[in-house]
Amino acid sequence: MPNFGLNDEQRKVVDDVFGPILVLAPVGTGKTCVLAERVRRAIEKDIAPGRILCLTFTNRAAGEMASRVRKHYPAVASKLTVKTFHGLCARMLRMEARAVGLPRDFTIFDDADSNELLRNLFGLDEKQAKYLYFEIERAKTSSPAPGGVAFPVAGTGRRPAARTAEGSIVHQIELYQRELRKMGALDFADLVCSARAMLESSNEIRDRWQNRFDFIQVDEVQDTHASEYAILRILAERSQNIALIGDTDQTIYEWRGSEPDTILDMFRKEFAPVKEYNLAENYRATRTLLGAASAFAESLDDRRTSIRPAGSCGQGRPIGIHRSRTESEESAWIAAMIARIAEERKIPFRRMAVLGRVNKRAMVISQELERRRVPCYTVELFEFFRRQEVKDALACLRLLLRPEDRSSLVRVLLRPARGIGEAGMRSITTDGERCGLRLTDLVSPLIERDGEPFERLIREAEGGSLVVLDTETTGLSQARDEVVEIAAVRLDRGRLAETFHSFIRNAVPVGESLSIHGWSDDFLRRNGRPADEVFRELARFIGRAPVVGHNIRFDLGMIRAHAGRVGEAMAESEVSDTWAISSRLLPDLYDYRLETVCKAMGVACPPRHKAEADVAATAELLMRLLPRLKEGAMERWRICARYAAQFAPVRALLTALKLDVDRLRPAELLERALERSGLRAYYREKREERRLEHLQRLTAIFREKDDPTLAPQEALAGLLEYAALAKNVDYILDVDDKVPIITIHQAKGLEFDVVFIAGAVDGEIPSYLSERDGRLEEEKRLFYVAMTRAKQELYISSYASDESGRPKSPSRFLSAIPGRFIERI
């Protein structure tokens, strides 16, 4: 690769493929280009694309990097792992779900889901719930400290330790985590801390993932917190080929746990010797803007980077400084300037932005822009995947994939109203705790047939037949991976009657799954049988019996998909999951691995990932759980009889939609759900056109992001995960031609032709609380981030008195910008 188009600084970074490196790269220095070029260079140095990991801050950045590589290496780009940190952790946990006691189809709770759960659990208002979630998130992702809380995380059995000063918070966390476990859900912080705990507590899993990647690079390292770095350290410990790239002068998330200085010190020590590089040549902005930003950065106590304009940078306009008499006059000035710039310089509205320190500033300015008919939006109003109507639509789809998701069911029951009040839901939940019944059971079709969800399971175990089943596969994808081993036993009247076991000759290489189940391609070639033959025999073995397993939905989904590809149709079977049953009857366990539950129930359990052994253990576990299930049968029947009729419409809705999950593409399924659920009619009747537009936009996103190479259900699961992990920044620039009015934190990672920094007064920039708490340096870095969002023009405005008439001084930060870069207007 000739490295054409790279400057000398960039070329050195690109060419340094092997070993640990640290790159300090300010905004506009071609960081994304360098990251993509390093991937190209690594491939040319014979590093397999499938062994390359790139981590970025947002889905937008991940997509940009992947598209750059795809231009030059279209055949291998799909083999790269390019993800956000949360996306990587979700993938790791799904792959290791059986080993850490999680359902493979676990639900991801975004911050809105978590806040809603906390409000319902503890009767909090919105502000209180947000604060509690912030405390939970920060504690989970921080390094364990003396006297701190050891949070229960999947796969470790770790129990929370008492904390004297905040014992009530510990109790709240325990209850919150228990509710998440009931629903088979993880929140954002759980994704990271559970992945970290998994790697630190299991030698087998740690070795597996250490051998997974040969080349790792991480963008925006300044935003990395301790738990994320701990994962990186483990992943890179074997290869030592890791690059950390970022700009520590733009560290603005210390309040959320990022510790760049501590992390970089650990990196230098643990991966010594580390080569360090600095990118300084900036291609993004004008010489005036770069000079002003660099001069302001000199006011930082410990500046780490430098900026110099590239030869292609023009001089540009001076920074416009404006001071109004009042807040409302400041808003009017900004609105007038935006309208004038759009008209005179033909700059689209979406290429301009107003940045404020606090949400209140955005609201004040947006009202004025709307009054003057300047098209605009605030992220608080937009927050696409967090909007009520969008979450309502997604809730219906989430229930189809994970029927235990109580939060999603509550949403479906609320809009449109189904006649089931909060009091009724609380009563079902409270009474059901004693007998193993959950609110979500009321929408199961088993209620209408059997009166309660476990009646047939108990009946067949006592006087009929059950099949307990387990599989091993080449991976997690129903569309691409294959089943390589199937083991099953038939229980007649609770006793072992017949066994089934077969290896399958695979067409898909076992790849990294070899380290999980131990069956090599060569072994399967010698010992496996044709897939169609095995599936025909399995179908006869199962017959019409209910199928039981630990995390059984995954196994049956893989079997049906693989069988379909080889021309064998597997009939739908009634399913019972010992994972779900255990989580009801043994609520005090902190994970539901087969070993953990077997130990709690006195069942001997051999080492995992051998299908025959797992089936035998699961069968015995089932027989130990059944007496407890039977004890609560009459109480479950009583509750179901009382409420079943009220849930009938939702039950019918979900049953009908479930038939389409494997048949319709996600966008078509969403359209059907919107119509059949009455959600679209509900918002149409209320004449909420904006919400209807957002539902239409959601359908368009589903169509745009759908992966046609995946089976419909698998593609749907991927889209729901995408929605849960999406950040505001991923969609800020994808709306219509409107001016985004956002906070500086929300603008990180974005760039605009024209930027207005509004409310630049002491007490707001810097904020009063930050100054009071001694965080003035972080406020300086935040202002630096705001200045560097502009490519062509920057305006900074303030006001002389607030809406209460209190006098306000211009931000002290303005004095750090040399006068030669400023024009007062």
Side-chain angles (χ1 to χ4, degrees), residues 396 399 409 412-413 416-420 442-445 448 643-657 673 675-678:
C396 190
L399 266 177
L409 176 58
V412 171
L413 294 174
R418 316 281 180 175
I420 304 164
L442 273 296
V443 293
S444 167
E448 290 183 357
Y643 293 100
Q646 293 174 260
F647 285 81
V650 177
R651 205 159 48 240
L653 165 69
L654 296 175
T655 300
L657 291 175
E675 291 302 322
R676 290 191 175 182
S677 69

Side-chain angles (χ1 to χ4, degrees), residues 277-295:
Y277 299 94
N278 286 275
L279 302 182
E281 196 163 359
N282 192 294
Y283 298 86
R284 174 188 284 185
T286 66
R287 292 176 179 272
T288 296
L289 294 180
L290 293 174
S294 184

Side-chain angles (χ1 to χ4, degrees), residues 437-541:
L437 184 78
R438 291 182 176 167
L439 182 69
T440 50
D441 291 329
L442 273 296
V443 293
S444 167
L446 299 178
I447 298 300
E448 290 183 357
R449 189 193 70 191
D450 300 329
E452 70 102 355
F454 300 110
E455 193 276 338
R456 188 183 178 195
L457 177 66
I458 295 170
R459 186 177 71 243
E460 295 290 349
E462 292 181 339
S465 295
L466 295 172
V467 170
V468 182
L469 181 146
D470 188 55
T471 68
E472 298 297 339
T473 69
T474 62
L476 304 181
S477 173
Q478 292 182 12
R480 293 187 282 263
D481 287 305
E482 294 181 339
V483 179
V484 295
E485 182 186 16
I486 302 175
V489 298
R490 175 182 291 279
L491 301 177
D492 288 344
R493 299 177 182 272
R495 296 181 180 277
L496 178 64
E498 191 177 357
T499 64
F500 178 95
H501 180 256
S502 182
F503 293 107
I504 296 177
R505 197 174 302 139
N506 57 316
V508 175
V510 295
E512 60 194 60
S513 70
L514 171 64
S515 63
I516 296 178
H517 50 63
W519 309 127
S520 67
D521 292 328
D522 182 61
F523 174 89
L524 294 168
R525 189 164 45 250
R526 288 184 285 106
N527 297 278
R529 299 162 56 204
D532 57 345
E533 180 182 305
V534 174
F535 290 129
R536 275 197 301 274
E537 291 183 13
L538 178 66
R540 287 195 295 269
F541 183 86

Side-chain angles (χ1 to χ4, degrees), residues 60 350-353 377 382 728-738 740 742 749-752:
R60 177 187 293 277
R350 67 176 178 276
R351 296 304 309 149
M352 295 186 269
Y377 68 90
F382 187 73
N728 294 331
V729 67
D730 292 322
Y731 273 87
I732 280 178
L733 299 183
D734 289 344
V735 295
D736 297 331
D737 190 21
K738 298 180 180 181
I742 53 182
L750 300 178
E751 59 183 53
F752 302 92

Side-chain angles (χ1 to χ4, degrees), residues 1-285:
M1 184 179 69
N3 285 346
F4 292 142
L6 298 177
N7 63 38
D8 289 342
E9 295 169 340
Q10 294 170 333
R11 189 174 296 110
K12 290 176 182 177
V13 176
V14 168
D15 289 341
D16 196 348
V17 169
F18 299 105
I21 69 170
L22 172 63
V23 184
L24 294 182
V27 61
T29 54
K31 180 178 58 175
T32 303
C33 175
V34 167
L35 291 171
E37 292 299 309
R38 286 193 83 243
V39 171
R40 292 180 61 194
R41 175 60 88 185
I43 294 172
E44 292 182 352
K45 292 287 186 179
D46 295 326
I47 293 178
R51 299 185 66 80
I52 292 175
L53 169 64
C54 300
L55 295 176
T56 66
F57 187 65
T58 64
N59 287 314
R60 177 187 293 277
E64 184 178 350
M65 184 183 300
S67 67
R68 283 176 181 261
V69 176
R70 195 176 299 114
K71 286 181 182 178
H72 302 286
Y73 290 93
V76 301
S78 62
K79 298 178 182 178
L80 304 175
T81 301
V82 185
K83 291 187 174 292
T84 64
F85 222 107
H86 286 96
L88 172 68
C89 290
R91 178 184 175 186
M92 293 169 67
L93 290 168
R94 290 196 195 281
M95 291 186 70
E96 303 289 352
R98 294 167 103 186
V100 298
L102 289 171
R104 287 193 191 274
D105 58 349
F106 62 78
T107 300
I108 297 175
F109 268 37
D110 60 30
D111 50 2
D113 294 322
S114 295
N115 289 332
E116 184 176 351
L117 177 57
L118 290 170
R119 286 200 304 272
N120 293 334
L121 269 179
F122 305 115
L124 306 176
D125 60 30
E126 187 171 349
K127 185 175 181 181
Q128 291 170 327
K130 283 185 177 180
Y131 176 77
L132 179 56
Y133 179 64
F134 170 74
E135 288 294 308
I136 292 172
E137 183 180 38
R138 185 168 62 173
K140 284 182 181 180
T141 54
S142 298
S143 299
V149 175
F151 290 96
V153 291
T156 66
R158 186 187 299 169
R159 293 177 176 274
R163 179 163 60 182
T164 54
E166 299 179 65
S168 61
I169 292 181
V170 174
H171 177 63
Q172 288 173 313
I173 293 172
E174 286 185 285
L175 293 177
Y176 169 71
Q177 292 299 116
R178 178 178 290 186
E179 287 300 310
L180 288 177
R181 287 198 303 278
K182 285 180 183 177
M183 292 181 280
L186 298 179
D187 66 17
F188 272 10
D190 283 330
L191 291 174
V192 176
C193 72
S194 293
R196 175 185 180 179
M198 174 181 75
L199 293 172
E200 291 180 341
S201 62
S202 169
N203 292 333
E204 179 187 347
I205 294 175
R206 181 168 59 251
D207 290 345
R208 183 154 50 243
W209 284 95
Q210 279 184 344
N211 290 310
R212 175 65 182 82
F213 299 110
D214 293 331
F215 179 89
I216 300 172
Q217 55 184 19
V218 184
D219 192 11
E220 303 286 4
V221 67
Q222 72 274 7
D223 297 325
T224 303
H225 57 63
S227 288
E228 291 171 336
Y229 175 75
I231 293 172
L232 289 175
R233 177 178 50 75
I234 291 171
L235 294 180
E237 190 171 5
R238 180 193 60 82
S239 73
Q240 298 284 300
N241 291 335
I242 179 171
L244 303 186
I245 300 98
D247 181 359
T248 52
D249 291 339
Q250 296 201 38
T251 301
I252 60 173
Y253 288 114
E254 288 180 336
W255 55 280
R256 290 176 63 178
S258 64
E259 308 170 77
D261 290 339
T262 301
I263 286 170
L264 294 186
D265 286 346
M266 288 191 292
F267 179 62
R268 292 183 179 105
K269 178 180 178 182
E270 293 168 349
F271 287 87
V274 174
K275 293 182 183 179
E276 301 192 27
Y277 299 94
N278 286 275
L279 302 182
E281 196 163 359
N282 192 294
Y283 298 86
R284 174 188 284 185

